[in-house]
Amino acid sequence: METKRKRLDKMICLLGKLEQGETCMSFKEFDTEEYFKMLSEFRKEHEDSVIKSFGSVEAFDEWVSKWKGKESILADSAKKNYGSMEEFIDAMKKNLEKMPDLMEKGKKLGEGGGLERNKELTQALMSDLTRDPGCEEVQEIIRECVEITEKLYEGMEMGNNFWENMVDSYLHEKVLIESLDKMYGKGASEFTGKAYQYYFQNRKA
């Protein structure tokens, strides 16, 4: 109840700032304190799991420290993929609990050639950006990429809008667009986004 009250107070504060004409709203206002508190508690309660997943407690601490100061990214991810910070925290806790098994599965997938195959598919996808993103050749590549990704993340709490937000990132996220276009040629990110978009719009259940 106390946590909910604090969150409500912060939202009221935000509304007050907007009424006063403050148009720059930081995602830091969406408190990530509970997320880092959850990580700290998980570290204490599941030390064996932390060591198995990260190699050592120190490595886990280093991973956590990299996210501190990046509250805007965390809040944005929480909002896009999970709807709220509370849902995000709950999903991340579940993922951490499953992490040793998930990492073992990822290792087996890599040993089985799945990750290498995904790299090959990416190269094939980017080899000709003049193709229709919805053509059979491109869609077959996308289908296999999706299968590999879903197999890798099977069992993880990825949120309700994982693929939708990924497509949106390819089409609108400036940093990703610039990165892919630099690696594969102008229009690479847009081409990829449209290819995935077509796939999911026409995917059979």
Side-chain angles (χ1 to χ4, degrees):
M1 184 64 71
E2 180 67 16
T3 300
K4 290 183 178 180
R5 186 189 65 76
K6 289 182 179 180
R7 190 171 293 113
L8 179 60
D9 288 345
K10 289 191 176 186
M11 293 304 296
I12 292 173
C13 180
L14 280 176
L15 291 174
K17 289 182 178 181
L18 289 174
E19 287 178 355
Q20 294 172 17
E22 294 187 27
T23 58
C24 183
M25 185 189 301
S26 170
F27 276 115
K28 289 184 180 180
E29 301 286 356
F30 293 89
D31 195 3
T32 56
E33 181 181 349
E34 289 298 316
Y35 173 67
F36 289 109
K37 180 180 178 182
M38 179 275 290
L39 293 178
S40 178
E41 291 175 350
F42 185 86
R43 178 185 184 278
K44 295 175 183 177
E45 297 170 4
H46 302 274
E47 186 172 325
D48 289 345
S49 180
V50 166
I51 293 173
K52 189 174 181 180
S53 299
F54 291 84
S56 67
V57 171
E58 290 74 21
F60 177 79
D61 290 342
E62 184 178 349
W63 175 76
V64 172
S65 68
K66 288 179 180 179
W67 282 105
K68 289 187 175 179
K70 297 181 180 179
E71 287 89 345
S72 62
I73 297 175
L74 287 172
D76 191 35
S77 177
K79 182 179 178 182
K80 280 184 177 180
N81 295 301
Y82 302 90
S84 69
M85 184 59 68
E86 292 85 352
E87 292 294 326
F88 172 72
I89 291 171
D90 183 58
M92 292 305 99
K93 183 176 181 180
K94 290 177 180 177
N95 287 340
L96 284 170
E97 290 171 348
K98 300 174 185 175
M99 189 63 72
D101 292 337
L102 292 170
M103 291 185 73
E104 182 63 26
K105 185 176 69 175
K107 180 181 178 182
K108 289 181 179 179
L109 183 62
E111 291 173 347
L115 300 183
E116 186 61 35
R117 178 57 179 161
N118 198 55
K119 292 180 182 179
E120 293 173 358
L121 290 168
T122 299
Q123 291 296 331
L125 180 66
M126 300 300 185
S127 65
D128 184 0
L129 302 178
T130 66
R131 291 172 294 183
D132 180 350
C135 75
E136 185 176 351
E137 180 184 19
V138 170
Q139 287 303 299
E140 179 58 26
I141 294 172
I142 294 296
R143 181 195 63 77
E144 195 171 345
C145 284
V146 170
E147 286 182 356
I148 291 173
T149 302
E150 291 186 340
K151 186 175 182 179
L152 178 63
Y153 291 120
E154 185 180 10
M156 290 188 71
E157 300 286 339
M158 301 305 294
N160 297 323
N161 307 306
F162 175 75
W163 288 112
E164 179 183 337
N165 289 320
M166 190 188 77
V167 169
D168 185 69
S169 294
Y170 280 126
L171 296 176
H172 302 111
E173 191 173 303
K174 185 177 179 181
V175 174
L176 179 59
I177 292 172
E178 290 178 349
S179 176
L180 286 179
D181 285 8
K182 184 177 181 180
M183 284 191 290
Y184 301 108
K186 185 173 177 57
S189 188
E190 181 181 8
F191 175 79
T192 304
K194 287 182 176 180
Y196 274 102
Q197 187 176 58
Y198 183 93
Y199 176 80
F200 286 106
Q201 286 175 346
N202 296 277
R203 185 184 196 183
K204 294 179 181 179

